[in-house]
Amino acid sequence: MTDRPRVVVTRRLPKPVEDALSALFDTQLNADDVAMSAEELAGAVRSADAVVPTVTDKVTAEVLGADPRRTRIVANFGVGYNNIDVAAAKANGIAVTNTPGALTDCTADLAMTLLLSVARRAGEGERHLRAGDWSGWRPTHMMGTKVTGKTLGIVGLGRIGQAVARRAHHGFGMRILYFNRTPVPQDQIADLGAELCTLEELLAASDFVSLHCPSTPETRHLLNPDTLRMMKPGSFLINTARGDVVDEAALVQALAGGTIAGAGLDVYEGEPAVTPELLGMDNVVLLPHLGSATNETRIAMGMRAVANLEAFFKGDPPPDRVA
Ligand code: DGY
């Protein structure tokens, strides 16, 4: 028996994080790394003081309403917390925290990876070479689209959106347009010359559109048949935010019909499922939700979750409380 708080962790985490959790709490790890079912998650809420879920765990009202209920905090391993029914957490007196900041740079790097890859046909070129189809250099072979000096439209100019804008503006001389629910204070973005637009203006003027807004009822299918049609001919869509911000079926139509030139995707509406038509399209670069996937970042994310739990169980305000 122990009087340390009991913590259930839903997936394998980097070893330093698991060690830190085990040192501080009576921690149940998931050595097999098999996703927990809804019943198992509800069981965790019944039996543990805290649960540490990830983006793939659906922490629903049913899970959070488990009766009897012991959990007092859900410390999400991730910045996006659309996997958690925050209203239900509040209604059940359960605190929710996330891990902002820790993954800003790596997610921005990955958005740039996708942007450069689609523009320069990197995925297509690699497949071509590996298939043994490359017959040698020639002036008209696999010509892509120049990135330097083009216009980048950022949807959601929060931490990650700003980090992408900085890379694009300072590294590639790109003009930055942005669409945000509220104007971003000028002192935060003075170095970017970023211009606030309506979504329609941004879509019409951008050579690349990169999504960095959270998944909410308002942003679901923000990119749909109508808004995809507004995109500049020859432009590219990059999504490292959440899959449901884009209507994937409409995206397939826009790509197939030539409304836009290509897309770079790290997230999907029904992940890990990917709309099959996308798999056959050479003008699309597809990654398996790798935005934050570096050793350094995944450890930093875990340590943020640990810090949130530690503060909470000491009776202090958790630094990253969202509910
Ligand atoms: C995040 O933190 O939101 C990443 O997408 C991984 O969950």
Side-chain angles (χ1 to χ4, degrees):
M1 283 298 285
T2 166
D3 54 7
R4 295 188 305 167
R6 180 167 158 69
V7 175
V8 170
V9 180
T10 66
R11 299 304 292 256
R12 280 310 307 256
L13 297 181
K15 186 158 186 322
V17 180
E18 292 191 345
D19 289 349
L21 286 165
S22 300
L24 287 164
F25 309 112
D26 171 17
T27 303
Q28 177 186 308
L29 300 173
N30 182 348
D32 298 332
D33 205 16
V34 176
M36 290 169 68
S37 65
E39 293 71 40
E40 288 169 325
L41 289 170
V45 169
R46 267 194 288 275
S47 65
D49 300 291
V51 179
V52 179
T54 72
V55 61
T56 59
D57 299 303
K58 298 203 179 341
V59 187
T60 60
E62 290 71 40
V63 166
L64 292 163
D67 187 21
R69 185 173 50 252
R70 179 164 162 185
T71 290
R72 291 192 293 132
I73 175 168
V74 174
N76 198 43
F77 180 91
V79 65
Y81 51 90
N82 56 306
N83 54 313
I84 301 168
D85 188 326
V86 169
K90 276 189 190 155
N92 287 300
I94 299 174
V96 178
T97 60
N98 69 344
T99 61
L103 43 70
T104 301
D105 284 328
C106 283
T107 307
D109 291 347
L110 199 88
M112 290 307 295
T113 304
L114 286 171
L115 188 156
L116 292 163
S117 299
V118 285
R120 301 305 306 275
R121 302 172 65 174
E124 187 184 350
E126 219 230 5
R127 285 191 291 280
H128 176 76
L129 183 148
R130 282 180 190 267
D133 293 339
W134 187 35
S135 57
W137 193 92
R138 56 189 199 281
T140 56
H141 184 221
M142 280 213 167
M143 295 185 293
T145 300
K146 185 176 177 181
V147 170
T148 300
K150 295 285 176 65
T151 298
L152 172 62
I154 305 244
V155 176
L157 198 67
R159 284 189 193 83
I160 299 172
Q162 287 179 34
V164 172
R166 247 167 222 115
R167 283 155 175 74
H169 184 67
H170 296 300
F172 296 88
M174 297 179 88
R175 174 186 176 211
I176 307 295
L177 306 180
Y178 79 97
F179 168 69
N180 208 55
R181 272 172 312 175
T182 50
V184 178
Q186 201 42 43
D187 59 332
Q188 275 179 38
I189 53 168
D191 63 316
L192 295 175
E195 302 158 51
L196 177 63
C197 303
T198 63
L199 181 63
E200 291 73 14
E201 288 165 346
L202 180 146
L203 296 175
S206 298
D207 301 296
F208 299 87
V209 173
S210 193
L211 305 177
H212 300 286
C213 52
S215 162
T216 64
E218 292 72 41
T219 62
R220 182 180 154 72
H221 287 186
L222 193 65
L223 275 290
N224 56 47
D226 294 335
T227 49
L228 284 162
R229 218 173 292 120
M230 291 174 193
M231 286 181 69
K232 183 175 173 178
S235 63
F236 298 86
L237 179 68
I238 311 299
N239 190 7
T240 54
R242 282 292 184 260
D244 66 357
V245 179
V246 179
D247 175 343
E248 222 164 87
L251 176 63
V252 167
Q253 293 306 317
L255 289 162
T259 311
I260 63 171
L265 307 176
D266 188 42
V267 288
Y268 306 88
E269 266 199 276
E271 59 183 70
V274 176
T275 301
E277 288 90 334
L278 291 172
L279 301 173
M281 290 179 165
D282 256 335
N283 53 342
V284 179
V285 176
L286 303 169
L287 295 178
H289 204 146
L290 294 180
S292 61
T294 63
N295 275 317
E296 296 89 335
T297 293
R298 290 281 164 85
I299 291 171
M301 290 164 72
M303 292 308 186
R304 286 295 282 251
V306 173
N308 282 311
L309 291 171
E310 227 184 332
F312 182 83
F313 287 116
K314 262 197 211 145
D316 295 335
D320 307 311
R321 185 164 185 162
V322 293

